[in-house]
Amino acid sequence: MENLLIKHGLVVTEDDVILGDILVKQGKIHQIGQSLDFESVKIIDASGKYVIPGGVDPHVHFHLPTPSGFSCDDFLSGSRAAISGGTTTFIDFVTPHRTQNYDEAVQQRLSESVPSVADYLLHFSPVRWDSNSEKEIFDLSKKYGIRSFKVYLAYKNNIGIEDGVLLNIMDCVAKLDGILAVHCENDEIIRFLQQKFVREGKISPLYHALSRPAEAEIEAISKIVNFAKITGCRVYIVHVSTRQGVELVRQAKKDGLPIFAETCPHYLLFTESVYHQLFEQAVQFVFSPVLKSVTDQEALWEGLRDGTLDVVATDHCPFNLRGQKDIYPDFTKIPNGTGGVEFRLQLLYTFGVLTNRLSINQWAKLCCQNPAEIFCVNGKGKIKLGYDADLVIWNPNFEGMISAKEQFQCCDHTIYEGISVKGQAEMVVQRGEIVYANRKFDDKRGKGRFLGIMGTDVK
Ligand SMILES: [Zn+2]
């Protein structure tokens, strides 16, 4: 394996930005300093550019089966899109059917994920609770190193779970010293409103938004905070979208509860007004939770700034506009989800760092370090001696416009179409190998690894 010397970069470390060099040996960060020298290395000139840790996106859904077909990206196209945007590690999901054997579900997902060019982990979604469930979950942890789990409080007709099941799962995850990611939306509120609107003939995408009010999220976050108090389970609340949600997390942290939270770029860039557009535009924003008000959006930015929200992840789950999103007039049947794994760092850099809402270090923490720490992705997420050399040469001078025509994601549209952005991942190094540079992949080099077995120390 070739050694690398990245020279004259603005190196973004945990708390600082230092002008210096990084020596990469055997795929690891070997030395950080000024005027480093080493024989027989490949030299990369990073003058005028930032060097940041490879991004970690802990919330993506590649190749997700739904009644409208699979989400657009499989593990190859999705991971390539991730790499092109500076994300070198992602975490996807194993979501078994209600009665499916858990081990078989993991095996199936592992075989689907083989083509990935980025490194990855898998969260597991328990969907039932019976006398055998604790053993099933402990076995996954032993065999695959799975320590992060995900449950849905919405979607009870499918994968969502009842409170009794939730409490047992939280108790079990706490025993494993794992972490439980939770989709917080109250299913009963949503189903009540959906049925009411459909009865009244109100079926346009606007009613998708109106059937999932802020209260559905607030009720569920409030519940999960209480349940965390009772069970001691570490909890990660996915895609927080409301001001009160942020406030509940802030208070829970003040109370010393082990609660972490994420939001997503779409909640930071758009608000509910988009649902008042014509079908073809509005339907692109059918995902859950839905976009909220300007006040909610400001609270999300404030939550990122003051550390209440720990992570910006994408919930990447795009469906084509033609043939998937546009075939159902009834909003309850439109597949939920949107894409963004490719644009996460760029959007947060443009709309967070360059607007002075976030420092460059906060940007790196939210997109790289925090998700790696929360989900125990060992040796990733930081520029630190001995860590994997997952590095991104970030060109801050790049200016461009997001367009579906140019994207690596396999989707016929993007909700970010026409948005002007600054900054770009110019070169991406994965475990010491240059896997992507100037919008080209080195297919011989990029080979993703499942990180699940590594770094396991199950109690
Ligand atoms: Zn999701």
Side-chain angles (χ1 to χ4, degrees):
M1 180 186 279
E2 198 172 37
N3 296 323
L4 303 177
L5 183 54
I6 301 169
K7 304 267 307 170
H8 312 303
L10 292 160
V11 181
V12 179
T13 62
E14 203 169 338
D15 300 303
D16 215 347
V17 180
I18 47 173
L19 179 60
D21 308 341
I22 300 174
L23 177 63
V24 172
K25 273 174 82 178
Q26 307 291 324
K28 304 274 184 196
I29 296 169
H30 187 73
Q31 211 178 344
I32 306 165
Q34 262 85 35
S35 311
L36 298 184
D37 221 347
F38 197 74
E39 275 173 30
S40 62
V41 285
K42 183 179 172 66
I43 292 186
I44 297 161
D45 182 9
S47 302
K49 290 163 194 167
Y50 288 110
V51 186
I52 60 169
V56 178
D57 189 338
H59 189 168
V60 304
H61 303 272
F62 298 148
H63 196 64
L64 179 80
T66 77
S68 320
F70 286 95
S71 59
C72 299
D73 282 303
D74 59 16
F75 279 82
L76 178 60
S77 68
S79 62
R80 281 167 67 106
I83 293 261
S84 75
T87 290
T88 49
T89 302
F90 64 87
I91 315 185
D92 204 294
F93 299 84
V94 182
T95 313
H97 310 297
R98 282 272 189 230
T99 54
Q100 191 180 10
N101 177 279
Y102 281 176
D103 192 78
E104 176 196 297
V106 176
Q107 288 291 344
Q108 186 188 331
R109 203 66 178 147
L110 281 173
S111 68
E112 288 164 356
S113 61
V114 166
S116 176
V117 293
D119 289 349
Y120 63 100
L121 278 167
L122 297 169
H123 305 293
F124 186 87
S125 284
V127 287
R128 57 178 176 256
W129 191 265
D130 56 41
S131 58
N132 194 36
S133 296
E134 184 161 298
K135 186 179 179 307
E136 279 182 301
I137 290 174
F138 273 56
D139 285 351
L140 293 177
S141 184
K142 280 192 203 105
K143 186 165 173 193
Y144 303 104
I146 291 175
R147 293 262 294 280
S148 59
F149 301 84
K150 160 97 177 270
V151 291
Y152 298 81
L153 306 190
Y155 312 122
K156 280 189 185 170
N157 59 345
N158 182 9
I159 47 177
I161 56 169
E162 301 292 340
D163 289 359
V165 176
L166 173 61
L167 281 161
N168 278 297
I169 290 169
M170 289 179 81
D171 181 56
C172 176
V173 172
K175 281 182 197 160
L176 267 178
D177 200 20
I179 185 160
L180 186 67
V182 188
H183 177 128
C184 285
E185 282 191 300
N186 176 295
D187 195 55
E188 282 73 15
I189 293 175
I190 294 163
R191 253 186 306 167
F192 164 75
L193 290 171
Q194 282 182 338
Q195 286 165 4
K196 179 171 174 292
F197 290 139
V198 170
R199 267 199 316 272
E200 293 168 356
K202 297 169 174 168
I203 55 167
S204 72
L206 173 63
Y207 292 94
H208 170 72
L210 296 178
S211 66
R212 307 183 92 97
E215 288 71 20
E217 175 173 293
I218 297 161
E219 192 279 338
I221 293 182
S222 169
K223 178 193 329 213
I224 207 75
V225 169
N226 284 327
F227 283 16
K229 247 179 240 174
I230 294 164
T231 58
C233 181
R234 291 171 79 226
V235 168
Y236 177 86
I237 301 171
V238 295
H239 46 49
V240 174
S241 66
T242 59
R243 176 181 64 79
Q244 294 96 323
V246 174
E247 195 43 56
L248 285 164
V249 173
R250 188 176 285 126
Q251 188 57 47
K253 285 188 166 179
K254 271 189 201 145
D255 294 344
L257 292 170
I259 305 262
F260 304 89
E262 79 175 22
T263 191
C264 312
H266 36 280
Y267 303 112
L268 297 167
L269 266 77
F270 300 102
T271 59
E272 59 200 353
S273 62
V274 300
Y275 298 111
H276 293 275
Q277 302 172 100
L278 294 173
F279 178 85
E280 189 147 323
Q281 275 80 47
V283 77
Q284 298 180 28
F285 295 91
V286 171
F287 43 71
S288 299
V290 298
L291 298 165
K292 305 295 193 311
S293 69
V294 175
T295 313
D296 292 301
Q297 188 178 64
E298 275 313 310
L300 295 175
W301 280 111
E302 181 55 25
L304 293 175
R305 201 194 59 73
D306 74 6
T308 301
L309 299 176
D310 303 277
V311 172
V312 175
T314 58
D315 196 4
H316 181 89
C317 191
F319 294 93
N320 283 318
L321 181 57
R322 307 268 169 247
Q324 286 189 300
K325 285 227 177 235
D326 72 350
I327 51 176
Y328 302 107
D330 173 350
F331 74 89
T332 62
K333 300 194 173 61
I334 299 166
N336 278 214
T338 191
V341 71
E342 183 167 346
F343 306 121
R344 182 178 65 131
L345 290 167
Q346 194 170 46
L347 290 169
L348 210 61
Y349 180 79
T350 305
F351 295 97
V353 177
L354 295 182
T355 58
N356 294 318
R357 283 164 161 146
L358 303 171
S359 70
I360 199 105
N361 295 95
Q362 281 175 311
W363 173 57
K365 276 200 168 75
L366 292 164
C367 296
C368 319
Q369 181 182 333
N370 290 350
E373 286 178 356
I374 292 167
F375 294 105
C376 302
V377 192
N378 294 342
K380 307 269 192 197
K382 268 196 267 196
I383 298 185
K384 194 175 169 183
L385 295 186
Y387 270 51
D388 283 359
D390 293 350
L391 299 166
V392 177
I393 313 286
W394 186 265
N395 179 0
N397 300 316
F398 171 84
E399 291 187 30
M401 195 181 273
I402 293 180
S403 160
K405 280 201 189 102
E406 308 276 315
Q407 68 187 0
F408 289 106
Q409 298 170 185
C410 272
C411 191
D412 65 356
H413 74 287
T414 165
I415 57 171
Y416 303 108
E417 184 73 39
I419 288 185
S420 295
V421 283
K422 287 188 179 164
Q424 191 179 48
E426 200 169 82
M427 179 184 284
V428 178
V429 175
Q430 186 183 41
R431 283 177 273 102
E433 297 200 289
I434 301 167
V435 291
Y436 172 88
N438 300 312
R439 298 197 55 78
K440 297 224 161 19
F441 294 92
D442 185 336
D443 287 325
K444 282 197 271 323
R445 286 190 161 133
K447 183 77 197 79
R449 278 186 193 163
F450 176 60
L451 304 169
I453 317 293
M454 297 153 64
T456 320
D457 58 327
V458 182
K459 277 184 179 169

